Amino acid sequence: MAAQFGRRVVKGAATTAVAALAVAALSASQAPGVTDTVKGRQNTNSQPSPDVNADDSATGNSPYYTDLPPLNTPTPSPSASSGIPGTAGNAEAGIPATVLDAYKKAETSLAGSKPGCNLPWQLLAAIGKVESGQARGGNVDADGTTITPILGPVLNGVGFARITDTDGGAYDGDTTHDRAVGPMQFIPSTWEWSGRDGNGDGKKDPNNIYDAALAAGHYLCRFNWDLSDSGDLRRAILSYNNSTDYYNTVMSWLEYYRKGTHEVPDGTGSLPSNRSDNGTGGGTGGANSGTTPPASTPPSSHTPGGGTTSPKPKPPTTTPPATTPPPTQTPTETVDHLEDAGTGTLTATAGDTFAEKISARTETKAGKAVAKVRVRFTITGDTDTTFTGGESVATVVTNASGVATAPALLAGEKTGGFKVRATVVGRTVSGLDYAATVTARQADALARTTDTALTCVPGGEFADQVEVKATYKGAVADGVVATATLIKAADDATVNDKGPYFKDADDKPLRTLTGLKTGKDGLLKLPKLFADDTVGTYLLRITTTGGATLTVELKVAAAAS
């Protein structure tokens, strides 16, 4: 197999091992001056991975470029700025300026919003190379939008997955079937929920490299995946396009770009030439669109004397017209309705994970379960609750029982009700709405952290601040809202107009504090207390959501002589 690295791998002769060996070769130390003799190496087999559902991917498992990087380690060269020709390795390492900027800005954005994902921009570059040849060599305008559309082949089931239209042609111009769109090749149904505005123009355009790169970053960071972990990295890449060869090809470019890249002018990037479908898919912007072989000519008949004669014409035969069998229905096309699959009551305290998960079942008109159907769950309403991983939309493929179970809901800080709507992707049937509620954080007990007496002289200030700890069923109650009020008596919660007080921003007396909140450790420390000239014993009452109440005694007395 190693002997084939110096020439193009013949279609059908390579296996997953080709790309895997390339990954290993790129990961290992290489001797100086070692170069690949031919630039157009490729990985030609595309085998589905067994650990990711083939129907659930960003691209709809569309074809991709199989070219592999050169085996020599890329090193930045002056060719981009001085016009000096570089080596093949340097040419492949060059990434168009706007495209490279989009990848790096996406990495910076994800480092702030999802730091635990550890997304490297080189991974976006590797996927961008494999999906569209870095937006067809950087064929983008100043805003990052592709000058000509980049569309994958029609996903009509002929050689590819069959995905009926989900966007009315809004993104791909096709009202019958879907096509992967843009430099990162999102299918419309995935872009609908994963699209992002990466350049701040108020639009989410899959044809814009800034929008597409940021969307790809968020897609790869779903489910709290940590891309510095090899297992999560594999899962993320396979979720983009479910093929072990795709994974190996992306990994080979990832390792290549990690060893060094440089910026080249837009429109001058190196273009790939080989595609996993051998270019027969007919997508615009793709390579190897395929050719039709010329019509064959009937062979001549040889005579005994060495000459040739044309074959005698055969009498015409009557052939019945060919009938095209109706296309087999996809599982999605057989779905008649959605049914709840036993979802329980959806309620959780702010900040907690919902114990119950939402499950929906796709069924035919006869009530038979339908497997391998994409169901989209969308959180709606005024809420900051998300699915695990931080997304408000999740797409799940139904299992053999026709059931799709959404990721767990993570309650935000906004309390109240909201809904989660389940719909079938690519099929117009009535959706299901699931009501959910987020309740305020609660405490059922409050206690002071010290037993020091709280005393003060008239006109002075209390030496110690009041600090309490909130718990709920014995556990720390963090983020619980509390109110502190100076009351007249134990049986009279009216606000006292005499005695101790807090101060507002203008140093004026304030005897009720609202909107207080316990910290992560359940602790709450009140501001300093002051006393007027009235001596006596006073009461401070602290209450929380959940019913916890604590009354604290305060004494104002003249100093002992």
Side-chain angles (χ1 to χ4, degrees), residues 67-238:
D67 298 51
L68 296 174
L71 291 180
N72 61 302
T73 302
T75 54
S77 74
S79 59
S81 57
S82 63
I84 301 174
T87 65
N90 285 331
E92 286 289 1
I95 299 178
T98 300
V99 177
L100 180 60
D101 184 55
Y103 296 149
K104 291 185 175 181
K105 285 186 175 176
E107 178 194 56
T108 300
S109 176
L110 268 297
S113 61
K114 296 183 178 179
C117 179
N118 295 304
L119 170 79
W121 67 261
Q122 291 92 340
L123 176 58
L124 297 177
I127 290 176
K129 179 71 173 181
V130 170
E131 292 294 348
S132 69
Q134 310 298 18
R136 302 298 297 141
N139 189 30
V140 297
D141 62 20
D143 295 324
T145 302
T146 57
I147 293 173
T148 55
I150 300 177
L151 294 174
V154 177
L155 297 176
N156 57 6
V158 181
F160 315 110
R162 183 180 177 190
I163 303 179
T164 53
D165 177 60
T166 62
D167 66 329
Y171 295 120
D172 56 14
D174 193 325
T175 57
T176 304
H177 297 93
D178 272 349
R179 305 174 71 172
V181 181
M184 302 304 277
Q185 289 289 279
F186 281 95
I187 54 174
S189 60
T190 302
W191 182 262
E192 186 65 28
W193 63 265
S194 65
R196 293 292 190 279
D197 177 13
N199 60 356
D201 64 355
K203 297 184 295 183
K204 299 176 182 178
D205 183 2
N207 298 294
N208 182 278
I209 186 59
Y210 288 99
D211 294 359
L214 184 59
H218 276 277
Y219 186 91
L220 294 165
C221 288
R222 299 171 356 270
F223 309 127
N224 289 327
W225 280 332
D226 178 0
L227 302 184
S228 65
D229 175 83
S230 60
D232 280 358
L233 177 61
R234 176 183 172 86
R235 281 183 278 273
I237 294 174
L238 288 174

Side-chain angles (χ1 to χ4, degrees), residues 465-528:
Q465 290 177 245
V466 178
E467 184 180 62
V468 298
K469 183 174 183 177
T471 56
Y472 182 70
K473 295 182 179 179
V476 167
D478 63 312
V480 176
V481 176
T483 300
T485 307
L486 291 150
I487 61 175
K488 289 185 175 181
D491 56 355
D492 185 356
T494 305
V495 178
N496 203 336
D497 58 357
K498 296 178 181 179
Y501 60 89
F502 301 104
K503 286 184 178 180
D504 63 14
D506 298 322
D507 285 339
K508 293 181 179 179
L510 185 66
R511 291 186 167 87
T512 298
L513 297 177
T514 59
L516 304 172
K517 187 175 290 188
T518 60
K520 290 184 178 180
D521 50 8
L523 297 178
L524 171 64
K525 179 178 282 189
L526 301 184
K528 282 188 176 181

Side-chain angles (χ1 to χ4, degrees), residues 412-486:
E413 295 302 321
K414 289 185 178 180
T415 60
F418 64 93
K419 290 183 179 180
V420 179
R421 186 168 182 79
T423 55
V424 178
V425 178
R427 181 75 168 160
T428 304
V429 297
S430 298
L432 286 180
D433 286 328
Y434 296 83
T437 304
V438 176
T439 59
R441 298 172 187 253
Q442 301 179 40
D444 56 13
L446 282 172
R448 283 189 63 197
T449 57
T450 68
D451 56 4
T452 306
L454 298 167
T455 61
C456 181
V457 297
E461 67 179 54
F462 287 80
D464 297 306
Q465 290 177 245
V466 178
E467 184 180 62
V468 298
K469 183 174 183 177
T471 56
Y472 182 70
K473 295 182 179 179
V476 167
D478 63 312
V480 176
V481 176
T483 300
T485 307
L486 291 150

Side-chain angles (χ1 to χ4, degrees), residues 45 53 87 94 99 106 114 201 271 312 332 344 383 409 460 479 514 524:
N45 266 356
N53 195 302
T87 65
V99 177
K114 296 183 178 179
D201 64 355
L271 296 177
K312 294 181 180 180
T332 300
T383 181
L409 288 165
T514 59
L524 171 64

Side-chain angles (χ1 to χ4, degrees), residues 252-337:
S252 67
W253 283 106
L254 171 60
E255 295 302 324
Y256 182 75
Y257 286 141
R258 277 176 168 165
K259 294 178 184 296
T261 60
H262 60 276
E263 178 184 298
V264 298
D266 289 343
T268 66
S270 177
L271 296 177
S273 56
N274 302 288
R275 216 170 61 182
S276 60
D277 65 341
N278 203 27
T280 59
T284 58
N288 293 347
S289 58
T291 58
T292 302
S296 60
T297 301
S300 299
S301 299
H302 290 268
T303 63
T308 60
T309 60
S310 298
K312 294 181 180 180
K314 294 181 179 180
T317 58
T318 303
T319 303
T323 58
T324 303
T328 304
Q329 281 187 309
T330 65
T332 300
E333 291 170 332
T334 67
V335 175
D336 176 76
H337 58 274

